[in-house]
Amino acid sequence: MLSRSKSLSVYVSRLILGRHHLLQLFHSESSSGRRRHNLRADEDNDKIRFQKTKEHQEEGYIRLLKSRGQHILTNPRVLDTIVRKSVIKPNDTVLEIGPGTGNLTLRLLQACEKVIAVEIDKRMVEILRSRAAESGLEDRLTVICSDALKIEFPRFDLVVANIPYGISSPLVAKLVFGMNQFRSATLLFQKEFARRLLANPGDSEFNRLAVNVKLVADVEFIMDVSKRDFLPCPKVDSSVVKIWPKAQVPDVDLHEWWAFTRMCFGKKNKTLGATFKQKKKVMELYHLSGKSVCNDENIGSWSHKGKFSHVEVDGDGASDEGGCSLFSCSGVEMSLFREKIVWVLQSNGFEDKRPSKLSNEELLHLLSSFNQAGICFNDHKRTRDPNNAILATS
């Protein structure tokens, strides 16, 4: 059994070395309920605390915050596998997001030249530094006490982290669409999120998250991790995935791509024809495109000649077999614009297809066809933040 210590940092650092140590440190009321009473939830404060025991009355304790997703990974086998699968080189600088009490950090410090740990909780920073000092590795550790989503990352070669689940989407966006160049990111996510990230066209989990990430990166499944490997035990299992930035990415305006996929995957199982023929969508694209179609030189190639009276008007005025004279200018343009959208879909064979079954190559082809026809999806007057915009899922 571990010796007593009056230092909170030393106590906790020893405390979280592994689940078998925890079971030694904490008493239970019975052998059958050994794990059940090791922790107590303080639901009023949304916290989980390590309790002091009679045997360690002089010891301190630390509260883990549910709101920050603080769940300590304690399984040595899982920790070692994460480090091994990361393929760390001795001269690498590794970025770790949310190191917590440092179980993974210590292994990273032994494998690389430098670890940059970004931790928002000052209590964890104290513990992290204390453990690194005890191991004689403090010179390799740089701790940044800040919100990982709000800072600019220094240069790094790899990302290896058990990240707080609540920031999974914006953090992935910041990494794969950010300015930092890196070889790979080995990350532990909530299992459901990992499945969405790994999904392919036709899978039930396939969504905008996978579409946007796979535009610029490849994703590989590494392993599943049981919720019992964490302390406190979360409600869900986890998965480890590895992300590699692609050496070459498609030549596409990213803001236009993000806006396009957002519109397509709003109802991912609805046909594109049904989605883009909606009055609301037509009006939105009409205003985003900011272009009059009445004088389009190619109007004859996509308008239904002689059938204009059958087109629903998405503006003031009314449809009539007498022709354009009964339309207001905006009504004519809106009707022609809707015809253009339909023509792009039909001429490329996408009218009856569903976004949930389309590959990135097919989506890129459709976006290019829309753009060539003068149909735009991005509001160029607004700057969209990829951290909270591009990965939203329906």
Side-chain angles (χ1 to χ4, degrees):
M1 184 174 294
L2 297 177
S3 62
R4 299 182 181 182
S5 170
K6 294 183 180 180
S7 165
L8 170 62
S9 299
V10 175
Y11 170 65
V12 176
S13 68
R14 293 176 178 175
L15 176 68
I16 46 76
L17 288 177
R19 185 173 294 276
H20 62 289
H21 288 155
L22 286 167
L23 295 179
Q24 290 178 334
L25 283 169
F26 291 112
H27 282 296
S28 58
E29 295 181 3
S30 65
S31 58
S32 61
R34 192 175 182 185
R35 291 184 179 179
R36 183 175 53 195
H37 299 288
N38 285 343
L39 300 169
R40 186 181 70 187
D42 187 348
E43 297 180 356
D44 294 336
N45 296 321
D46 192 28
K47 298 176 181 177
I48 294 180
R49 67 181 67 189
F50 292 133
Q51 289 181 269
K52 291 183 290 186
T53 64
K54 294 180 179 179
E55 183 179 355
H56 298 90
Q57 289 180 358
E58 76 280 16
E59 303 287 4
Y61 61 92
I62 186 171
R63 298 180 182 183
L64 299 182
L65 307 181
K66 293 180 182 179
S67 59
R68 289 183 176 172
Q70 292 179 341
H71 297 277
I72 308 301
L73 180 60
T74 61
N75 189 324
R77 179 185 62 82
V78 176
L79 291 164
D80 291 338
T81 301
I82 291 174
V83 174
R84 186 176 68 257
K85 292 292 186 178
S86 299
V87 191
I88 301 172
K89 299 178 181 179
N91 61 342
D92 277 338
T93 295
V94 177
L95 176 68
E96 184 183 10
I97 309 297
T101 53
N103 282 358
L104 180 59
T105 312
L106 293 181
R107 287 168 167 80
L108 295 174
L109 288 169
Q110 295 170 359
C112 68
E113 182 176 337
K114 182 179 180 181
V115 172
I116 300 172
V118 182
E119 174 58 60
I120 196 172
D121 192 332
K122 294 181 179 179
R123 305 169 308 154
M124 297 296 180
V125 170
E126 178 187 351
I127 296 167
L128 190 62
R129 286 174 173 160
S130 176
R131 294 190 71 189
E134 286 182 357
S135 301
L137 300 170
E138 65 271 26
D139 292 341
R140 298 186 182 183
L141 176 65
T142 298
V143 182
I144 301 175
C145 186
S146 186
D147 186 336
L149 299 180
K150 297 180 180 179
I151 65 169
E152 292 186 13
F153 296 139
R155 191 202 69 81
F156 59 89
D157 301 297
L158 301 172
V159 187
V160 185
N162 167 27
I163 67 172
Y165 293 158
I167 66 170
S168 296
S169 286
L171 181 59
V172 169
K174 182 171 183 175
L175 291 173
V176 300
F177 289 101
M179 299 302 294
N180 297 89
Q181 295 183 352
F182 60 96
R183 287 205 315 276
S184 68
T186 305
L187 303 171
L188 195 151
F189 295 117
Q190 181 176 331
K191 188 174 183 178
E192 181 182 357
F193 180 87
R195 291 294 182 269
R196 295 202 304 270
L197 191 63
L198 291 158
N200 294 309
D203 295 342
S204 60
E205 299 93 346
F206 188 63
N207 60 90
R208 189 168 167 244
L209 170 71
V211 165
N212 284 324
V213 171
K214 291 179 179 179
L215 179 73
V216 295
D218 295 313
V219 186
E220 178 190 3
F221 170 78
I222 300 298
M223 65 184 300
D224 287 327
V225 181
S226 170
K227 58 187 176 183
R228 293 187 295 273
D229 292 328
F230 295 85
L231 189 75
C233 183
K235 296 181 180 179
V236 295
D237 291 327
S238 304
S239 297
V240 179
V241 302
K242 193 169 184 177
I243 301 173
W244 286 277
K246 290 181 177 179
Q248 294 183 337
V249 298
D251 183 14
V252 61
D253 183 324
L254 289 178
H255 292 282
E256 184 74 6
W257 168 261
W258 298 332
F260 170 66
T261 57
R262 182 172 55 254
M263 184 170 290
C264 288
F265 282 84
K267 297 290 184 180
K268 67 177 184 178
N269 291 316
K270 197 172 187 178
T271 65
L272 290 168
T275 295
F276 284 103
K277 290 177 185 178
Q278 295 179 75
K279 178 179 179 179
K280 182 178 180 180
K281 298 296 184 185
V282 173
M283 292 183 65
E284 182 180 353
L285 291 176
Y286 175 77
H287 291 295
L288 285 172
S289 299
K291 176 182 177 182
S292 173
V293 299
C294 285
N295 298 320
D296 195 312
E297 296 180 355
N298 298 317
I299 190 171
S301 64
W302 48 263
S303 62
H304 293 300
K305 298 177 182 179
K307 298 182 180 180
F308 190 72
S309 61
H310 297 286
V311 178
E312 178 183 351
V313 179
D314 294 330
D316 296 332
S319 175
D320 187 271
E321 292 185 1
C324 295
S325 60
L326 297 181
F327 287 88
S328 67
C329 182
S330 62
V332 172
E333 289 192 355
M334 198 74 71
S335 297
L336 289 173
F337 190 78
R338 182 177 185 273
E339 281 288 271
K340 180 187 280 191
I341 293 174
V342 173
W343 175 79
V344 170
L345 292 171
Q346 290 179 345
S347 62
N348 290 277
F350 285 102
E351 185 177 22
D352 297 324
K353 292 188 177 181
R354 307 174 194 277
S356 61
K357 298 184 183 299
L358 295 180
S359 67
N360 273 23
E361 289 73 19
E362 291 174 304
L363 290 168
L364 284 166
H365 174 71
L366 178 58
L367 174 59
S368 176
S369 299
F370 272 127
N371 289 165
Q372 289 175 16
I375 301 170
C376 301
F377 293 81
N378 177 48
D379 184 353
H380 295 280
K381 297 180 180 179
R382 295 175 58 189
T383 301
R384 300 187 182 277
D385 180 4
N387 287 356
N388 53 33
I390 67 168
L391 299 179
T393 57
S394 60

